[in-house]
Amino acid sequence: MTLPFESGVRVTSPFGVRPDPFSGEPSGHAGIDLTPLDPEDTAVRAVVSGTVAQSRMVTDPANRTSEWGNYVSVFGDDGRMVYYCHLAARAVSQGDRVEAGQTLGVEGRTGRATGVHLHLEIREGGVPVDPSLPLGVANTAGAEKPSPQTSWPPRMWYDEAAAWAVEAGILRGTGDGLALDEPCTRGMMVVFLHRLYEKLRCTS
Ligand SMILES: [Zn+2]
């Protein structure tokens, strides 16, 4: 399952459903509250591919759906429904086909929310299930999961290989501000790629 934020996620409120002792209905927190690891990374992305079932804001306070504010629901190819709630803005419409990782909207605090976050809810046959399991993050406030994209390549050998490439005259610049030095011969690039490949093999 793709993480809903490209930089990774932090749990601000865990999932917790239990049957109400009187009605037997599920109560508690039917979803999980998440914020991006990088505060600038506010685009909310589809966690699975599917079709947009709803993209709307319910304003009637008598309708409990209004608590979700701006929300998008996607009927996933895996047969589950995923709800993305409290959005500041929505980027898709009902009936749209969306791919995992595609931007659905912008993180916000519309509806019943005390702060900016994403309320992510997953339902199987209408019943909320624990989203922390498919997301691969602990169901605990403060738990974090960095995105595989941003934790790759491992920083240590990336820095080492980049420093070597600068020294060898293939790249110029420092840190993340690296650029190819013109002209870079094919031979130099092959050596650089081979070095990265060797390091990849060692760390995978
Ligand atoms: Zn929530």
Side-chain angles (χ1 to χ4, degrees):
M1 182 170 274
T2 308
L3 294 178
F5 294 109
E6 193 169 15
S7 62
V9 295
R10 180 181 295 111
V11 177
T12 56
S13 180
F15 168 86
V17 169
R18 61 188 193 287
D20 183 272
F22 297 98
S23 68
E25 293 292 310
S27 68
H29 198 203
I32 195 167
D33 291 349
L34 303 168
T35 55
L37 283 186
D38 175 354
E40 308 268 294
D41 175 29
T42 58
V44 171
R45 310 184 310 156
V47 296
V48 289
S49 303
T51 305
V52 176
Q54 293 157 314
S55 173
R56 63 176 183 167
M57 175 135 149
V58 174
T59 51
D60 176 8
N63 184 339
R64 278 203 63 195
T65 306
S66 64
E67 295 181 0
W68 282 348
N70 263 313
Y71 78 96
V72 170
S73 64
V74 176
F75 184 67
D77 295 343
D78 60 0
R80 296 187 289 195
M81 191 75 90
V82 184
Y83 297 83
Y84 307 80
C85 307
H86 308 313
L87 304 176
R90 291 175 279 114
V92 291
S93 304
Q94 187 176 352
D96 284 355
R97 169 78 196 169
V98 295
E99 300 303 322
Q102 185 176 331
T103 298
L104 302 177
V106 178
E107 182 196 31
R109 56 172 300 175
T110 55
R112 187 167 167 266
T114 54
V116 173
H117 71 274
L118 171 69
H119 173 91
L120 184 86
E121 196 164 315
I122 302 178
R123 293 189 188 177
E124 282 178 10
V127 178
V129 296
D130 184 354
S132 72
L133 300 172
L135 289 173
V137 65
N139 189 39
T140 314
E144 295 182 353
K145 183 179 183 187
S147 168
Q149 291 93 322
T150 52
S151 59
W152 188 96
R155 195 73 216 178
M156 196 175 66
W157 67 254
Y158 169 80
D159 283 345
E160 190 198 323
W164 171 83
V166 168
E167 199 179 323
I170 295 170
L171 297 174
R172 59 189 154 77
T174 53
D176 287 321
L178 293 170
L180 268 179
D181 206 7
E182 304 277 354
C184 171
T185 66
R186 184 174 180 276
M188 291 163 91
M189 185 51 72
V190 166
V191 171
F192 179 53
L193 291 174
H194 180 70
R195 191 177 165 92
L196 286 175
Y197 172 73
E198 286 296 307
K199 287 191 171 292
L200 249 184
R201 274 207 320 176
C202 293
T203 51
S204 61

